[in-house]
Amino acid sequence: VFLSLTLFSLNRKKMNLKSERRGIHVDQSELLCKKGCGYYGNPAWQGFCSKCWREEYHKARQKQIQEDWELAERLQREEEEAYASSQSTQGAQSLTFSKFEEKKTNEKTRKVTTVKKFFTASSRAGAKKAEIQEAKAPSPSINRQASIETDRVSKEFIEFLKTYHKPGQDIYKQCKLFLDTMNHKRDLSIEEQSECAQDFYQNVAEKLQTRWKVPPEKVEKAMDQIEKYIMTRQYKYVFCPETTDDEKKDLAVQKRIRALHWVTPQMLCVPVNEEIPEVSDMVVKAITDIIEMDSKRVPRDKLACITKCSKHIFNAIKITKNEPASADDFLPTLIYIVLKGNPPRLQSNIQYITRFCNPSRLMTGEDGYYFTNLCCAVAFIEKLDAQSLNLSQEDFDRFMTGQTSPKKQESDSFSPDVCLGVKQMYKNLDLLSQLNERQERIVSEAKKLEKDLIDWTDGITKEVQDIVEKYPLEIKPKNQALAAIDSENVENDKLPPPLQPQVYAG
């Protein structure tokens, strides 16, 4: 029996230790496209890679278009039948065959025009959208800054294309034609504009390889410059457009991260010791890089910020553990960096990269790997719950509502290198937590006392009312007081006159 109890206690300790050390684990297969093509997937593409997502999107789009045209043809056929039947009842037989054909042709033209209007945006909506864009146009200073950057990028692009000679001229013509086309397609949805950009990337890359026989390494450089030139000009039109809910998602993620400010590295099993100065510097650099992503205009530059942030994270883990970091160490640390930095317009930047980045960068390479992990980190933050942090639901709810915060380390357990200000800050946080609990207890007792007083007053009032109803009182009017004889009351006039002394003759 003793042996069995000992084994039971050891197993229980192992289970508790395992549950305490349980971290965030993501298999490599979970980052890949769910269709099994070998490229990296993306939550924005529903787990597919860029190539497979486009295939699925085209299938769904063609199916929708086919269904819409079938519906339009059916409606047109029903209208023609209704028109023919109405004409026959009104004596349409007297019409000649030529007039009937002419009328039928005119009617058919009218209906086709109506169907086209049904599937295209109205001019009124376009005018209204133009008014909104004019009302929300950026200030002249921003326009000047954008024009300066645009001119600089254009000059760099022209200088770069000079090294390609004849292919460079064709590339420049293709880019100008694409920009003109995009300027005339402002009314399209952001998904359709993204499709146009992806098709353009694919066509130019194929021409560079097949028609102009450009080496693969030069093709990659050319595509980077093309993306930089195009997206610098298109940035203000396609980044966080008003027709999408990107801004709403940004505010939701920002609010969610602020509510999770209490999450500690220990809860996420982050293998980073910020007490080491070098590690602390790496964490600060990683946060700076992920925040700097919002200041870039080119998708490749935004990806570069994510890559630099990720490399700083790997260095911080390596210094802490004295060994190379693994994928299981990287993702929790990236989640911690995002929570600590709260990057601005996070969802808008992710959507912008997904829609307009060169797809070859997102499907393979370290940029695609780090970007996929960032998408997984954001998805984890949005669905973070008590079980993910090994907390009880009660504690998780209290932390989320701000009623209390996790207990900080005691001053004795701090490293000698920690400054006095940090120690005093944690002491103040503990004191504030205790004062908050005392205040909540006092408020609760005060509300209870108030309720007791109200109940006591109501009880006394009810008892008095019951007694009055049981023993009713009859209050009689007061008797009038008798007036004194010597008083000067007006009512004394009714008294007999006083006796007068009489004199008798003797």
Side-chain angles (χ1 to χ4, degrees):
V1 174
F2 176 75
L3 181 61
S4 61
L5 290 174
T6 305
L7 291 174
F8 176 76
S9 62
L10 289 174
N11 291 331
R12 187 173 181 181
K13 287 181 180 180
K14 289 181 179 179
M15 291 175 63
N16 293 334
L17 183 61
K18 186 176 180 181
S19 63
E20 290 177 359
R21 293 182 179 179
R22 182 173 67 86
I24 303 164
H25 176 71
V26 176
D27 293 331
Q28 185 72 15
S29 59
E30 297 179 8
L31 302 179
L32 299 177
C33 176
K34 66 181 183 181
K35 203 170 183 179
C37 62
Y39 296 116
Y40 289 120
N42 194 314
W45 297 325
Q46 299 180 5
F48 294 102
C49 67
S50 176
K51 182 179 179 181
C52 296
W53 168 247
R54 291 185 67 194
E55 293 176 357
E56 296 293 328
Y57 178 78
H58 279 302
K59 290 180 183 178
R61 188 176 177 184
Q62 291 297 329
K63 183 179 178 182
Q64 184 65 37
I65 292 174
Q66 184 66 26
E67 292 177 354
D68 292 342
W69 277 110
E70 289 177 357
L71 175 61
E73 290 177 356
R74 182 170 59 84
L75 293 174
Q76 181 177 350
R77 189 166 54 252
E78 291 177 356
E79 287 187 8
E80 290 178 354
E81 293 175 357
Y83 174 77
S85 61
S86 63
Q87 290 296 322
S88 61
T89 56
Q90 295 176 5
Q93 296 178 356
S94 61
L95 294 174
T96 61
F97 182 75
S98 59
K99 289 184 179 181
F100 176 76
E101 286 295 328
E102 182 181 357
K103 207 163 198 179
K104 185 177 180 181
T105 304
N106 295 335
E107 188 70 17
K108 201 176 278 189
T109 305
R110 183 183 66 81
K111 288 179 174 57
V112 170
T113 306
T114 304
V115 171
K116 288 183 178 179
K117 288 182 179 179
F118 180 75
F119 289 106
T120 55
S122 62
S123 59
R124 183 178 299 177
K128 185 176 181 181
K129 185 176 180 180
E131 291 176 1
I132 294 175
Q133 290 180 353
E134 291 178 359
K136 296 188 177 182
S139 62
S141 60
I142 297 177
N143 285 331
R144 286 196 298 271
Q145 182 179 0
S147 62
I148 293 172
E149 184 174 358
T150 301
D151 294 339
R152 179 180 59 81
V153 172
S154 299
K155 292 179 181 178
E156 292 177 357
F157 185 58
I158 294 173
E159 292 295 327
F160 173 79
L161 292 179
K162 288 181 180 179
T163 60
Y164 284 73
H165 305 293
K166 183 62 171 63
Q169 298 178 4
D170 295 336
I171 292 172
Y172 186 74
K173 291 180 181 178
Q174 294 288 332
C175 292
K176 292 293 290 183
L177 180 61
F178 173 75
L179 290 174
D180 293 339
T181 304
M182 292 296 291
N183 289 331
H184 291 89
K185 292 183 177 181
R186 294 281 181 246
D187 293 336
L188 294 179
S189 65
I190 194 65
E191 288 77 15
E192 292 174 334
Q193 295 184 45
S194 173
E195 284 294 312
C196 293
Q198 298 297 331
D199 291 338
F200 175 74
Y201 289 146
Q202 184 176 358
N203 293 334
V204 173
E206 289 178 356
K207 288 180 180 179
L208 286 172
Q209 295 175 357
T210 58
R211 181 185 299 179
W212 297 315
K213 306 299 180 181
V214 179
E217 61 275 5
K218 297 189 70 175
V219 171
E220 192 68 25
K221 292 181 180 179
M223 294 305 300
D224 291 342
Q225 292 296 326
I226 290 171
E227 177 189 317
K228 183 178 181 180
Y229 173 70
I230 289 174
M231 298 316 302
T232 301
R233 288 179 169 272
Q234 296 292 315
Y235 178 79
K236 62 181 180 180
Y237 302 112
V238 297
F239 182 83
C240 191
E242 299 174 357
T243 56
T244 64
D245 58 347
D246 293 348
E247 185 177 1
K248 183 178 179 181
K249 292 180 180 178
D250 290 335
L251 296 175
V253 171
Q254 191 176 42
K255 183 178 179 181
R256 175 71 173 174
I257 293 176
R258 286 177 178 174
L260 293 169
H261 66 91
W262 48 268
V263 176
T264 61
Q266 292 77 18
M267 294 179 180
L268 295 171
C269 299
V270 175
V272 169
N273 185 8
E274 296 186 60
E275 296 179 358
I276 302 175
E278 296 179 0
V279 175
S280 179
D281 292 341
M282 291 295 174
V283 170
V284 172
K285 290 179 180 178
I287 294 174
T288 304
D289 290 332
I290 198 69
I291 292 176
E292 189 181 2
M293 175 179 61
D294 186 59
S295 64
K296 305 299 181 180
R297 303 181 69 179
V298 183
R300 181 173 62 88
D301 295 341
K302 293 181 181 291
L303 276 178
C305 292
I306 299 174
T307 301
K308 288 192 296 183
C309 169
S310 302
K311 289 183 177 180
H312 288 314
I313 291 174
F314 274 107
N315 291 333
I317 298 173
K318 183 178 179 180
I319 295 173
T320 302
K321 299 180 65 175
N322 291 324
E323 61 181 17
S326 62
D328 292 338
D329 297 331
F330 170 67
L331 185 57
T333 311
L334 179 60
I335 294 171
Y336 173 68
I337 293 297
V338 174
L339 289 175
K340 196 169 183 179
N342 196 0
R345 300 192 292 186
L346 183 57
Q347 282 288 2
S348 292
N349 283 287
I350 290 176
Q351 292 295 332
Y352 176 70
I353 295 172
T354 303
R355 292 165 181 159
F356 296 101
C357 184
N358 187 1
S360 61
R361 284 190 170 274
L362 298 184
M363 298 192 319
T364 57
E366 62 178 5
D367 289 342
Y369 175 76
Y370 295 140
F371 179 71
T372 304
N373 275 274
L374 177 62
C375 295
C376 293
V378 175
F380 178 84
I381 291 172
E382 292 176 343
K383 299 178 181 178
L384 189 65
D385 55 6
Q387 186 177 2
S388 304
L389 301 175
N390 295 330
L391 296 174
S392 63
Q393 189 62 40
E394 182 181 357
D395 290 341
F396 181 81
D397 294 338
R398 292 175 63 192
F399 295 156
M400 288 295 292
T401 55
Q403 295 180 0
T404 183
S405 60
K407 291 184 178 180
K408 304 295 181 180
Q409 297 178 348
E410 297 295 336
S411 59
D412 297 338
S413 63
F414 280 108
S415 172
D417 298 332
V418 179
C419 63
L420 296 176
V422 175
K423 296 180 181 180
Q424 187 64 38
M425 179 184 69
Y426 284 123
K427 289 181 179 179
N428 293 339
L429 288 175
D430 293 337
L431 180 60
L432 289 174
S433 178
Q434 296 175 8
L435 291 175
N436 187 25
E437 293 178 359
R438 291 177 59 185
Q439 183 183 7
E440 291 178 356
R441 188 166 57 252
I442 291 173
V443 171
S444 176
E445 294 294 334
K447 289 182 179 179
K448 183 180 178 182
L449 178 60
E450 182 182 7
K451 185 177 181 300
D452 292 342
L453 288 174
I454 294 173
D455 294 341
W456 179 78
T457 304
D458 294 340
I460 296 297
T461 304
K462 189 175 181 303
E463 290 181 2
V464 172
Q465 290 178 352
D466 293 341
I467 294 174
V468 170
E469 291 176 357
K470 188 175 181 180
Y471 304 102
L473 298 178
E474 294 180 1
I475 302 176
K476 298 180 179 181
K478 295 182 179 180
N479 295 328
Q480 295 182 355
L482 298 175
I485 297 175
D486 298 332
S487 65
E488 297 180 354
N489 199 331
V490 293
E491 296 180 355
N492 294 341
D493 296 341
K494 298 179 181 180
L495 295 176
L499 297 178
Q500 298 292 333
Q502 296 180 1
V503 179
Y504 295 97

